[in-house]
Amino acid sequence: MVDKEETGYLRSLMDFNFPAEGIDISEVESEEEIVKRFKTGAMSYGSISEEAHEALAIAMNHLHGKSNSGEGGESDERIASAGTKNDRSSAIKQVASGRFGVTSKYLVSAREIQIKMAQGAKPGEGGHLPAKKVYPWIAKTRHSTPGVSLISPPPHHDIYSIEDLAQLIYDLKSANKNARISVKLVSEAGVGTVAAGVAKAGAGVILISGYDGGTGAAPVSSIHNAGLPWELGLAEAHQTLRLNGLRGRVIIETDGKLMSGRDVAIAALLGAEEFGFATAPLVTLGCVMMRVCNLDTCPMGIATQNPELRKRFIGKPEYVENFMLFIARELREYMARLGFRTLDEMVGHVELLKKKDDLTEAESRIDLSRILATSVADDNEIDTPFDFELEKTIDESILLKDKKILAAIKSGSKAEKTVEIINTDRAFGTLLGAEITRKNPEGLPDDTITVNCIGAGGQSFGAFIPKGLTLKITGDSNDYFGKGLSGGKLIVSAPANAAYEAEENIIIGNVALYGATSGEAYIAGMAGERFCVRNSGAIAVVEGVGEHGCEYMTGGRAVILGPTGKNFAAGMSGGIAYVLDEDNHLYRNLNKDLVLMEKVESKADCQELKEILTKHLEYTDSVKAKKVLDNYEEYLPKFKKIIPADYKQLLHLISQYEEQGMSREKAQIEAFYASTASNIG
């Protein structure tokens, strides 16, 4: 049925130019080889249930294809199952705008890391997990708070340019040098130009996602009015990459309502080498397309976290496996008729597609000439993978060749090293951190390995570093400092002979501690804009921030010992910020939509703040911290506590249940049900 003209797909208007003679089907590569190119779509744990999510992962791992985690992290138990008979770990780990749950362990466990530049079902929009779907087990995986909604603006809100994207690709390659790096783009006019930039930036896979599909949580206006069919975007990307001599450098994948072997055959002829499926595998698991995914009321136990509804889940991994094998079987029949023995031979042979002859008058007016164009390849085609030159980094050439550091990674003995760095040393410490995680998934004891850096840190200094690694820098650092901090410790201070007052000067760049999940950062100086955006668990101290500080923060603590720029705490749904507001200007710059501004009065808050400041002074010799601590009672009234209203109410409920004798875990569950019943979030 999905191949009929009335489906309204562009591919429904196409037919094959079959040669006079094909080949015998026995000569075509096997179904088992073909399904290795198949993937399931990026549906996050949170949007669909644990049972559905794991069924997809088990099925694709069994077929040696790939399942996609979606944004939102993956549980430690599933990551630990990788390589076992019951492998429930997703091969593709997605890194999306929210950065929820992106840890060093998560990245190291991936076979492919996908950067979500846009959402297929709703391009130009961000994700949103309603409060009632943020159950405690979802919150744990996403490093957030139960019962508090999770907000992601569009991914391009965080990646402003191709340079930012190139840096993220480099960071992720450093975080797992064994993984392919994929970039998800949406089918839109001009996507070919973007794809060319992505290929030059070092991506190994480019996904062109069509507007069809999605779990039904997208607004109706988005489903019907945003994005384009994958046929358009795929053809444009393939042709543009060929014209720029870049086609041999990348693998192109496509998805968006692929439903049959015929669909896959057309996609391959238009230029795709790998293929994603989402709606159809969910249907095989029992989805009845109720389109209530965002309401947590899915009657089939798929797009819900409700334990009672999840009991209704009837799907099995075998159902997904059978579907994929059926698709491959039908595809082989087309390959035999077209004369191709392997999919590799088939890719890009658009001359074997044509417009159907028996179209209606309206259908015949649709011009497919640009899609079916046989573009001329550049004679200087690059067919070698992008070289990140990681072997030239300080991590690879010095740190990971140091015997004491290698011994520390293996046995947990202490090691210390001093190096000089310059601002072209990007993602410093990330390769070392990845090696620590590879050998010690839970990290090492604090300060096991300490690297003293002198000079200027480049982009993404200390990105994704795990527990046990401490990086100290005497000097300054560039943008994305501490990106995705995963338990490590970062310390920044100005040189002793600096000719400036550290507390009055910017010492680290923009977007520091972006998406940090745990760890500590102590910065004796000011930060640029967007400090601690999406922080979900790190403790960070800085002596002044630019605009948009603590934006979309979901957890952790931020201590600001100085002025803040405008729009502070916008979209902040968790965590606490303590701000030294000496001039009483904070109220002007605070985004008050979600947060409350209070005095620091409770004994616990006063104690927590003092302990953090004491560590800051100990690690950085901060003049500002010493001044505050020496006159703590005088300074305390000048501090403001910024806390999200929903988060505060959740903490209060959890505390109440704990006082009744409940464990922390049980108290969180009870607080979640109490809060969602009273419509918090």
Side-chain angles (χ1 to χ4, degrees), residues 318-627:
E318 295 88 332
Y319 302 162
V320 178
E321 291 176 40
N322 287 338
F323 167 78
M324 296 294 181
L325 289 167
F326 288 153
I327 294 287
R329 186 172 303 172
E330 185 186 358
L331 176 61
R332 289 182 77 236
E333 294 170 2
Y334 281 102
M335 290 171 69
R337 290 183 65 189
L338 290 164
F340 294 114
R341 288 172 175 79
T342 66
L343 260 172
D344 279 334
E345 294 175 10
M346 187 176 181
V347 172
H349 279 279
V350 72
E351 73 277 4
L352 293 175
L353 288 173
K354 65 177 183 178
K355 198 171 180 179
K356 281 183 177 176
D357 299 323
D358 56 344
L359 297 176
T360 65
E361 184 184 349
E363 289 170 340
S364 64
R365 288 201 299 269
I366 298 173
D367 184 1
L368 298 181
S369 60
R370 296 293 292 276
I371 297 176
L372 302 180
T374 51
S375 59
V376 180
D378 189 307
D379 291 334
N380 301 313
E381 178 127 0
I382 303 167
D383 57 4
T384 54
F386 185 88
D387 186 2
F388 290 89
E389 300 185 335
L390 298 181
E391 71 282 354
K392 296 180 181 178
T393 61
I394 293 176
D395 285 56
E396 288 277 11
S397 63
I398 297 175
L399 301 181
L400 286 168
K401 284 187 166 53
D402 187 282
K403 290 181 180 178
K404 287 186 178 179
I405 288 177
L406 292 175
I409 294 172
K410 187 176 180 181
S411 65
S413 57
K414 292 269 188 178
E416 189 164 347
K417 186 81 173 174
T418 299
V419 295
E420 291 189 3
I421 59 173
I422 57 176
N423 65 4
T424 53
D425 292 319
R426 300 184 296 155
F428 179 87
T430 304
L431 282 155
L432 171 58
E435 195 59 31
I436 292 170
T437 302
R438 214 168 269 123
K439 300 285 186 353
N440 308 275
E442 304 307 317
L444 292 165
D446 284 339
D447 307 317
T448 299
I449 299 172
T450 301
V451 183
N452 300 303
C453 306
I454 299 167
Q459 299 264 11
S460 303
F461 180 91
F464 305 111
I465 65 168
K467 183 176 166 63
L469 177 57
T470 298
L471 302 181
K472 298 180 180 178
I473 181 166
T474 303
D476 54 31
S477 191
N478 214 321
D479 296 347
Y480 288 115
F481 171 90
K483 177 189 290 185
L485 187 66
S486 296
K489 188 183 292 179
L490 297 171
I491 299 163
V492 188
S493 52
N497 59 353
Y500 57 86
E501 297 291 334
E503 66 185 79
E504 296 174 4
N505 286 272
I506 292 177
I507 200 169
I508 60 169
N510 299 322
V511 209
L513 284 307
Y514 182 90
T517 53
S518 58
E520 302 168 66
Y522 301 93
I523 300 121
M526 298 177 73
E529 296 184 0
R530 309 195 71 214
F531 179 80
C532 266
V533 175
R534 309 197 197 296
N535 176 28
S536 60
I539 295 171
V541 188
V542 71
E543 298 178 355
V545 297
E547 296 176 358
H548 315 293
C550 298
E551 189 178 27
Y552 300 106
M553 191 161 131
T554 63
R557 299 289 183 269
V559 178
I560 319 293
L561 295 178
T564 60
K566 67 184 180 184
N567 204 36
F568 188 82
M572 180 178 172
S573 60
I576 296 172
Y578 298 106
V579 182
L580 181 57
D581 185 25
E582 293 184 82
D583 299 322
N584 278 317
H585 286 165
L586 179 60
Y587 75 96
R588 298 179 187 173
N589 294 328
L590 187 67
N591 186 311
K592 305 173 184 67
D593 285 352
L594 299 180
V595 299
L596 305 171
M597 185 167 73
E598 304 175 344
K599 294 179 179 179
V600 181
E601 292 179 320
S602 76
K603 186 177 179 181
D605 288 343
C606 294
Q607 185 64 26
E608 179 178 58
L609 177 58
K610 191 168 188 178
E611 286 175 2
I612 294 172
L613 290 174
T614 301
K615 282 187 176 181
H616 183 53
L617 175 59
E618 177 190 342
Y619 292 135
T620 68
D621 287 327
S622 163
V623 174
K624 188 67 174 280
K626 186 174 190 321
K627 191 189 303 180

Side-chain angles (χ1 to χ4, degrees), residues 190-243:
V191 72
T193 303
V194 179
V198 169
K200 290 177 182 177
V205 183
I206 296 173
L207 166 57
I208 304 296
S209 189
Y211 73 136
D212 278 309
T215 57
V220 172
S221 59
S222 300
I223 291 174
H224 294 302
N225 300 301
L228 295 174
W230 57 258
E231 295 93 328
L232 282 168
L234 171 59
E236 183 183 333
H238 174 68
Q239 292 171 26
T240 307
L241 287 168
R242 291 193 74 192
L243 288 168

Side-chain angles (χ1 to χ4, degrees), residues 2-5 7 9-16 18 230-231 258-270 275 277 326-335 338 346 353-356 359:
V2 293
D3 292 341
K4 288 196 172 182
E5 289 84 357
T7 55
Y9 300 130
L10 285 177
R11 55 193 177 277
S12 304
L13 307 177
M14 301 178 196
D15 210 343
F16 298 96
F18 290 113
W230 57 258
E231 295 93 328
L258 295 179
M259 305 288 279
S260 66
R262 181 182 187 275
D263 289 349
V264 175
I266 292 173
L269 293 173
L270 289 176
F275 314 91
F277 304 83
F326 288 153
I327 294 287
R329 186 172 303 172
E330 185 186 358
L331 176 61
R332 289 182 77 236
E333 294 170 2
Y334 281 102
M335 290 171 69
L338 290 164
M346 187 176 181
L353 288 173
K354 65 177 183 178
K355 198 171 180 179
K356 281 183 177 176
L359 297 176

